[in-house]
Amino acid sequence: MRVPWQSWLLLFLYQIHQANGQDDANAITLPKEVEACNGIFLQYPFDSRQKEYPYLKNATAQSWAFKSELIVLNTGTTELKSWQAFIGFQHDEILVSVDGATVLNGDSFPMKVEKNGTHLTGYPQADLKTAIDTAGDLTQMSAKVKIKGTMFGVKLGGNVMPTNIKLENEGFKCPQATAKASICFFFRRAFGSTMESSIQSEI
Ligand SMILES: *[C@@H]1O[C@H](CO)[C@@H](O)[C@H](O)[C@H]1NC(C)=O
Ligand SMILES: *[C@@H]1O[C@H](CO)[C@@H](O)[C@H](O)[C@H]1NC(C)=O
């Protein structure tokens, strides 16, 4: 049987489409600030939120469904073993699913955070390799955590961000707690090490 060339073309285009689709699902889009980071870069992109039932007159009691991410990326020259980070949730968040990390101070979902914030550790991506050791393979250098949950009382246009995000591993210079979405943690100058710590900065 002769297969017309148009069919091959369609099959080819379909495969390209499939491949792109897969890439998109796992892709990590990084902001320009990453370029100034030589250490561990953390980012908390807030994806979306939507008013949940029941709709209430009392805005303080209103619940909202939200989706956000935590991205942890090694842009330094030292592998980071068992990354651990803190998200300072401040809107009585209730976590419904956390994909890509284990919650250290919690048990089962739905998980009340109250005002305590959440400590996360990488799972399954616990260790973040360097670009040097992986020829710049982002999938081995970074972890992406997908968070889904409920938050309370933030009116439209209000600040949906946590109080801060923080890397909790030992040996890092941590910038002041900040409500900004991206932050870079520099390696401290360690004993006998040639690791150079750049100026502490906040992005
Ligand atoms: C609105 O909801 C908040 C939080 O649940 C509650 O503390 C407050 O008393 C409520 N206000 C009114 C007027 O019902
Ligand atoms: C938050 O921290 C307080 C004080 O340590 C504790 O009593 C409370 O149980 C914690 N809440 C949650 C949801 O972990």
Side-chain angles (χ1 to χ4, degrees), residues 58-62:
N58 181 348
T60 317
Q62 180 63 53

Side-chain angles (χ1 to χ4, degrees), residues 126-139:
D127 302 335
L128 306 180
K129 297 207 161 96
T130 65
I132 294 165
D133 287 345
T134 62
D137 180 0
L138 281 179
T139 62

Side-chain angles (χ1 to χ4, degrees), residues 21-113:
Q22 276 165 9
D23 278 349
D24 286 350
N26 296 314
I28 292 182
T29 30
L30 295 168
K32 198 144 173 64
E33 294 94 310
V34 173
E35 290 169 18
C37 185
N38 176 355
I40 303 295
F41 182 81
L42 256 67
Q43 192 186 28
Y44 183 83
F46 191 90
D47 292 342
S48 65
R49 68 165 177 154
Q50 205 168 14
K51 200 189 267 193
E52 280 177 353
Y53 297 122
Y55 289 3
L56 304 176
K57 293 230 163 63
N58 181 348
T60 317
Q62 180 63 53
S63 63
W64 300 78
F66 76 93
K67 282 186 199 158
S68 64
E69 285 170 24
L70 178 73
I71 289 163
V72 188
L73 169 71
N74 190 351
T75 60
T77 52
T78 309
E79 181 172 353
L80 176 62
K81 295 272 190 195
S82 304
W83 69 263
Q84 190 178 319
F86 175 76
I87 305 177
F89 288 121
Q90 57 175 335
H91 306 110
D92 294 308
E93 278 82 349
I94 293 173
L95 304 182
V96 172
S97 73
V98 174
D99 184 13
T102 302
V103 180
L104 293 175
N105 58 324
D107 38 30
S108 59
F109 297 107
M111 188 184 290
K112 283 190 175 187
V113 177

